[in-house]
């Protein structure tokens, strides 16, 4: 490993030493600020160099999201023939110019520098010169502490080793735990921001499930591996996570994925600023749909008795009847009783009249029936 990455050890140590020389003009050369800011500056320099790869990663990720429905169709079509399935996948990648590994390029390109920094700090912890870091710089780096924790100390180091670096076990473990938590939280927020704001939610694909799984897997991985990282490496990884989070926020705001929540928010901002020119037909259709939605009325809920009687009486009539009843009071009740009696008398008289009429008709009919017409003299 040292033989293969030897040139990178020299490059990483040389960059750190150059930044340390600059920050030594401001801070004490043996302070954690000078050495810590040198590591942070190393991260910033590496990430600036990786911006073209980051842009390529964004394009590749979007292409992969757009290809998910076609990829799923190929998988369903050639479910029993894995070789044909792979051939069709490669053909699809070639036709669309998509490289599945492009989304991993920034991480892959960063890995050698990460390993080199890890080895440089490990050499410092073991009191060994590495790259361009000679003995005076080695002693200066060993004296550098960040909030009481040496740059070369780890969470799992023994008390004797930590004491040899001029620190206490409590300081080292408290600082490393805080940095591991911040590192995991920043990674989780970065992945969650990508899932909630920059993904087209109208298309449900396996890619979304994969990203959702990584949102929980990556923070756990950082938490597990972080206890074996030196403090300087934790500074490096926390810095690169914060950089990634800020860079992603900028990209999501300025160039979101079409169909995502961030894209709709950007369209609203442009529309409010008058910078978005929309199709008049689309605007008219949108307004018509909004008016139809506002004019649409929900049916009123009816009680069981109203449903059985076929509907409720109008509210105005019920109110008028209620008001009339309340206005009539006690006197109205007496008038109502008198009116009721008069109606009953009238009904009785009508019944008698009807009975008399029917009796008279019966009598007349009986009389007509009882009378016999005289026979004709010729029939006697």
């Amino acid at each position: 490993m040292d033989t293969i990455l030897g040139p990178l050890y020299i490059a990483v140590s040389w960059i750190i030493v150059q930044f340390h020389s600059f920050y030594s003009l401001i801070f004490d050369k043996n302070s954690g600020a000078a050495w810590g800011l040198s590591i942070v500056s190393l991260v910033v320099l590496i990430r600036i160099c990786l911006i073209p790869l980051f842009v390529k990663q964004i394009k590749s990720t979007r292409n992969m999201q757009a290809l998910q429905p076609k990829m799923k169709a190929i998988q369903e079509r050639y479910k029993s023939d894995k070789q044909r399935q792979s051939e069709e996948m490669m053909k699809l990648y070639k036709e669309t110019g998509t490289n599945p590994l492009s989304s991993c390029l920034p991480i892959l390109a960063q890995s050698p520098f990460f390993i080199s920094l890890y080895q440089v700090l490990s050499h410092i912890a073991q009191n060994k010169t590495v790259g361009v870091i000679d003995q005076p710089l080695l002693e200066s780096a060993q004296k550098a502490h960040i909030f009481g924790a040496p740059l070369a100390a780890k969470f799992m180091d023994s008390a004797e080793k930590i004491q040899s670096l001029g620190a206490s076990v409590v300081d080292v473990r408290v600082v490393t735990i805080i940095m591991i938590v911040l590192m995991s939280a920043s990674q989780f927020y970065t992945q969650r921001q990508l899932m909630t704001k920059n993904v087209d939610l109208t298309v449900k694909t396996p890619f979304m499930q994969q990203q959702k799984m990584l949102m929980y897997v990556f923070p756990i991985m950082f938490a597990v591996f972080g206890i074996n990282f030196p403090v300087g490496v934790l500074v490096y990884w926390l810095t690169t996570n914060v950089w990634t989070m800020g860079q992603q926020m900028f990209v999501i705001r300025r160039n979101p994925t079409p169909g995502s929540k961030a894209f709709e928010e950007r369209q609203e901002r442009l529309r409010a600023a008058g910078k978005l020119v929309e199709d008049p037909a689309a605007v008219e259709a949108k307004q018509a749909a909004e008016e139809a939605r506002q004019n649409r009325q929900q049916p009123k809920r009816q009680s069981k008795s109203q449903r059985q009687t076929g509907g409720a009486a109008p509210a105005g009539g019920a109110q008028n009847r209620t008001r009339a009843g309340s206005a009539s009071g006690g006197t109205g009740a007496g008038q109502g009783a008198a009116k009721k009696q008069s109606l009953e008398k009238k009904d009785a008289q009508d019944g008698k009249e009807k009975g008399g009429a029917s009796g008279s008709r019966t009598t007349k009919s009986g009389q007509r029936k009882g009378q016999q017409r005289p026979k004709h003299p010729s029939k006697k």
Side-chain angles (χ1 to χ4, degrees):
M1 181 69 71
D2 291 346
T3 304
I4 298 175
L5 297 179
L8 274 178
Y9 294 172
I10 297 173
V12 170
S13 61
W14 183 82
I15 295 172
I16 291 177
V17 168
Q18 298 306 312
F19 281 120
H20 177 261
S21 300
F22 170 74
Y23 289 117
S24 296
L25 301 175
I26 305 172
F27 307 100
D28 182 12
K29 64 179 182 179
N30 299 328
S31 65
W35 284 100
L37 288 174
S38 300
I39 296 174
V40 172
S41 301
L42 171 68
V43 175
V44 173
L45 179 63
I46 292 174
R47 295 308 301 265
I48 290 174
C49 296
L50 293 179
I51 286 178
L53 292 179
F54 181 76
V55 174
K56 193 171 183 180
Q57 177 193 18
I58 294 174
K59 293 181 179 180
S60 177
T61 303
R62 290 186 178 179
N63 290 338
M64 290 295 292
Q65 291 178 353
L67 291 179
Q68 285 301 312
K70 296 182 179 180
M71 292 170 62
K72 190 174 181 180
I74 292 174
Q75 291 174 355
E76 293 292 333
R77 185 175 181 181
Y78 303 103
K79 186 184 298 183
S80 58
D81 191 351
K82 298 296 182 183
Q83 183 177 357
R84 182 66 184 277
Q85 186 181 116
S86 301
E87 292 175 357
E88 293 295 327
M89 287 288 189
M90 296 303 296
K91 183 180 178 180
L92 180 64
Y93 292 150
K94 187 175 180 180
E95 290 176 353
T96 56
T98 304
N99 185 2
L101 298 179
S102 297
S103 59
C104 303
L105 283 178
I107 297 177
L108 295 176
Q110 236 184 135
S111 298
F113 295 95
F114 175 78
I115 296 172
S116 299
L117 178 62
Y118 180 87
Q119 292 296 328
V120 167
L121 293 173
S122 296
H123 281 70
I124 293 173
Q126 298 170 9
N127 200 18
K128 296 179 181 179
T129 59
V130 57
V132 299
I133 298 179
D134 52 13
Q135 192 62 33
L137 289 172
L138 181 62
E139 294 176 356
S140 175
Q142 285 183 337
K143 295 177 182 178
H145 291 65
I146 295 180
F147 302 109
L151 289 176
K154 305 175 186 177
F155 181 86
M156 300 300 293
D157 284 344
S158 61
E160 293 78 10
K161 186 174 182 180
I162 294 175
Q163 289 175 0
S164 66
L165 296 173
S168 65
V169 177
V170 176
D171 291 340
V172 170
R173 293 186 176 176
V174 168
V175 171
T176 53
I177 287 175
I178 292 174
M179 295 185 73
I180 289 171
V181 170
L182 292 175
M183 185 173 62
S184 301
S186 60
Q187 179 67 34
F188 177 80
Y189 181 80
T190 300
Q191 197 68 24
R192 177 177 172 80
Q193 181 180 232
L194 179 65
M195 285 295 300
T196 56
K197 289 189 176 182
N198 204 37
V199 172
D200 187 0
L201 300 177
T202 59
V203 181
K204 303 294 183 181
T205 62
F207 180 78
M208 295 176 60
Q209 298 296 329
Q210 180 183 2
Q211 294 294 320
K212 187 176 181 179
M213 182 181 67
L214 293 177
M215 181 172 66
Y216 296 99
V217 170
F218 275 156
I220 295 175
M221 290 176 58
F222 280 117
V224 172
F225 294 129
I227 60 177
N228 294 314
F229 289 162
V231 174
V233 174
L234 294 178
V235 172
Y236 173 92
W237 207 250
L238 177 60
T239 305
T240 192
N241 280 359
V242 173
W243 177 280
T244 302
M245 182 172 62
Q247 187 172 249
Q248 185 173 269
M249 290 175 65
F250 177 80
V251 171
I252 290 175
R253 182 176 177 83
R254 298 294 298 274
N255 191 19
T257 301
S260 63
K261 182 179 178 181
F263 182 81
E264 297 296 331
E265 292 176 352
R266 180 175 179 270
Q267 294 297 97
E268 291 296 332
R269 291 196 302 269
L270 293 177
R271 191 178 294 109
K275 298 180 180 180
L276 183 64
V277 179
E278 296 181 334
D279 187 8
V283 174
E284 185 177 354
K286 186 176 180 181
Q287 291 177 352
E290 183 66 21
E291 290 177 358
R293 186 185 66 82
Q294 292 178 357
N295 293 333
R296 186 170 64 248
Q297 295 181 354
Q298 296 294 334
K300 295 182 179 180
R301 186 174 181 179
Q302 296 180 347
S303 63
K304 185 176 180 180
S305 59
Q306 290 173 343
R307 290 195 299 270
Q308 290 177 349
T309 56
Q319 292 178 359
N320 292 334
R321 288 196 300 271
T322 305
R323 291 173 182 171
S326 61
S328 59
T331 56
Q335 294 176 359
K339 188 176 182 180
K340 185 177 180 180
Q341 292 177 358
S342 63
L343 288 174
E344 290 177 352
K345 291 179 180 180
K346 186 177 180 181
D347 291 340
Q349 292 174 0
D350 291 341
K352 292 179 179 178
E353 292 176 358
K354 290 180 180 178
S358 60
S360 61
R361 284 196 300 268
T362 304
T363 305
K364 290 180 180 179
S365 62
Q367 291 176 356
R368 285 195 300 268
K369 186 176 181 181
Q371 293 176 357
Q372 295 182 358
R373 300 173 67 182
K375 293 181 179 180
H376 197 272
S378 63
K379 292 183 179 180
K380 290 183 180 179

